[in-house]
Amino acid sequence: MLARYRITPGAVSIQTVMSRRPGQHRLPELSPVQGAEMPTLGEGATPLLKAHGLAVDLDLPNLLIKDEAQNPTGSFKARGMALATARARELGIGRVCLPSAGNAGAAAAAYGALHGLDVHVYVPESTPKPIQGEVVAMGANVVTVDGSIANAGAALKPVAESNGWFPLSTLKEPYRIEGKKVMGYELFYDLGRLPDVILYPTGGGTGLIGMWKAFDEMERLGWIGPERPRMVVVQTTGCAPIVKAFKRKEWDGATPIKNPKKTAAFGLRVPGALGDFLMLRCLRDSRGTAIAIDEIDLLDGAKAMAQKLGIQCSAEGGACVAAARQLRSKGWIDRNDITVIFNTGHALNYGE
Ligand SMILES: *Cc1c(COP(=O)(O)O)cnc(C)c1O
C-alpha cells in the first residue's frame, strides 16, 4: 500500500519549492506529515558530490555521488524513519518495532527518542556490536536472533502481535517510502533534470520504489515529462533475489534466497522483500538492470570511494562503485551518462 496524493498540475511550482529551506521537509504538499514545527534531526538535503578522481578511474566524467552517509545516524534510513515515527506519534501510537540489519534500527532508535516512542529492534546475531550498542544507547530495546533479517522478522512477529507493537518493517507501513522518495526529488533539485542512470544498493528496496514514485509525482506536478533514469538494482552475489528474478524476467515477484551469505554489506542481506514486484517493474519500465557484486569487489569499491574521493563509504555504496565499473566496461553505461551512485551509509556504522 502506497500513499496517494491528489495532485493537480502546477499545484506547486518547482520555483516555490526551491525558494524554501532545503531538507527532508521541503515539499509538505507531497508529504504525509504537515507542520513546519515538526521536530527533526536535520535529515535530508544530502550533497550530490562530483566524483572527480573516481570519475577518471571509471571513465565516467559525469559521475556523481549522493552521499546519504551524511544523514543523522549515518545512513539514509533516517529519511524513512523520520516520517514513519512522526506519523506514528501523530496517530497516537506509542510502541513500535522492526527487524533490522542495523541501520534501520539505529534510525528508529534515534527518531523514537525524538518523538518519545518505545522502540523494539530485532537484529540478526551477526549485526555488529557497535551498532547494537548505538541502538541501546538511544534508549531502544535490542533482541538478537540467529540467521538473517528474515529470521529476525519471523521471531518478532508473534511478540509484536501479543504486545500490540506497531510494525515499522519495510513496506508494512507506507511512510518510510514517503521519506525515502525525497532522495528522488533532491536529485531533481540539484540537477534541474533527472540523471540518466541511478545505481542503488538494494535490500528491501524502499529507496528504489520511493524514488520511482517521486518521479511519477513530479510528472503529475508538471515538472518533468515521461523521461526516467535507468534504474540499477545492486545486490551481493551471496544474496541477490532481485537480480535472479530480473534475469528470468519474473516481473511479479522474486523467489526468496534460502541461505543468504554473510557480507560486509549488511543492508543488502535481505533474502526476500515484500516490495519485490515493485522493484522488478521499476527495472522493467525504466529499461534498467540488476547486477550482483562479489564481496572482494564491493570492498574494493568502498576503498576506491574513500581513497579517491575522501568519502566515508559503506560496503553497500562500494557495491555501487563496482557495479558502475562493470556496467561501464560492458558499455551498458555510456561515457557521458549522468550517473548517480548512492552511498547509503557511513563506513563507521558497522564499527571495526
Ligand atoms: C538498508 C540499507 C540498504 C538497503 O536499502 P533498501 O532501500 O531497504 O533497499 C542499503 N544500504 C544501507 C547502508 C542500508 O542501511
Side-chain angles (χ1 to χ4, degrees):
M1 213 191 319
L2 301 180
R4 297 273 167 229
Y5 303 86
R6 256 180 236 112
I7 302 174
T8 43
V12 205
S13 73
I14 180 66
Q15 289 78 11
T16 304
V17 178
M18 294 305 284
S19 71
R20 296 172 179 162
R21 208 155 62 98
Q24 171 87 357
H25 309 285
R26 205 175 194 181
L27 185 56
E29 292 88 346
L30 277 294
S31 169
V33 184
Q34 306 301 320
E37 73 287 353
M38 190 183 91
T40 86
L41 294 174
E43 57 279 4
T46 56
L48 186 62
L49 304 167
K50 267 191 164 307
H52 303 281
L54 198 56
V56 175
D57 187 33
L58 299 186
D59 188 34
L60 284 169
N62 298 318
L63 182 65
L64 298 160
I65 316 291
K66 181 72 169 157
D67 192 14
E68 290 292 308
Q70 298 194 33
N71 274 299
T73 67
S75 90
F76 70 162
K77 291 291 194 306
R79 293 179 180 269
M81 286 305 167
L83 279 197
T85 52
R87 194 72 184 121
R89 179 83 228 162
E90 260 183 13
L91 295 171
I93 292 163
R95 290 175 301 166
V96 298
C97 64
L98 71 160
S100 167
N103 284 332
Y111 288 92
L114 180 68
H115 292 291
L117 305 176
D118 229 12
V119 179
H120 300 270
V121 186
Y122 279 47
V123 298
E125 201 267 327
S126 58
T127 298
K129 293 289 179 287
I131 199 162
Q132 293 189 32
E134 188 189 342
V135 176
V136 172
M138 288 184 287
N141 270 318
V142 176
V143 174
T144 55
V145 178
D146 275 340
S148 75
I149 191 168
N151 304 98
L156 170 57
K157 197 163 182 270
V159 186
E161 277 165 11
S162 67
N163 288 302
W165 299 342
F166 183 82
L168 294 181
S169 334
T170 302
L171 281 164
K172 287 259 166 81
E173 55 73 61
Y175 303 116
R176 284 176 62 186
I177 291 231
E178 292 305 296
K180 277 205 182 162
K181 82 178 179 188
V182 175
M183 298 187 297
Y185 280 100
E186 287 180 7
L187 293 177
F188 185 71
Y189 301 155
D190 283 346
L191 294 170
R193 53 162 287 177
L194 296 181
D196 297 304
V197 176
I198 293 179
L199 295 123
Y200 186 81
T202 308
T206 35
L208 188 87
I209 296 163
M211 284 193 280
W212 194 244
K213 181 174 188 285
F215 302 149
D216 280 344
E217 290 173 358
M218 286 159 62
E219 186 176 357
R220 286 163 64 212
L221 285 166
W223 296 1
I224 59 168
E227 73 278 7
R228 293 289 183 275
R230 284 178 287 149
M231 307 295 279
V232 181
V233 158
V234 180
Q235 300 196 300
T236 66
T237 40
C239 183
I242 304 299
V243 179
K244 290 206 168 99
F246 175 80
K247 291 212 165 115
R248 297 193 198 117
K249 296 192 175 14
E250 292 168 357
W251 309 122
D252 294 329
T255 310
I257 303 292
K258 285 217 182 61
N259 291 304
K261 290 220 184 71
K262 291 204 174 140
T263 166
F266 291 92
L268 307 189
R269 194 164 168 251
V270 179
L274 269 184
D276 52 5
F277 67 104
L278 295 170
M279 291 187 255
L280 288 159
R281 287 173 194 175
C282 160
L283 293 181
R284 181 191 63 192
D285 297 346
S286 75
R287 295 173 298 111
T289 192
I291 181 167
I293 303 297
D294 286 335
E295 198 67 11
I296 188 166
D297 293 328
L298 65 86
L299 293 174
D300 231 47
K303 196 165 145 194
M305 185 114 75
Q307 298 190 349
K308 295 201 184 290
L309 299 178
I311 291 177
Q312 304 289 313
C313 184
S314 59
E316 293 87 343
C320 291
V321 174
R325 191 187 297 282
Q326 291 179 26
L327 292 172
R328 172 72 196 107
S329 70
K330 280 190 215 157
W332 193 89
I333 303 179
D334 284 336
R335 183 163 194 275
N336 290 317
D337 280 343
I338 298 179
T339 303
V340 174
I341 283 177
F342 272 83
N343 177 34
T344 45
H346 199 286
L348 300 181
N349 279 11
Y350 303 137
E352 269 147 15

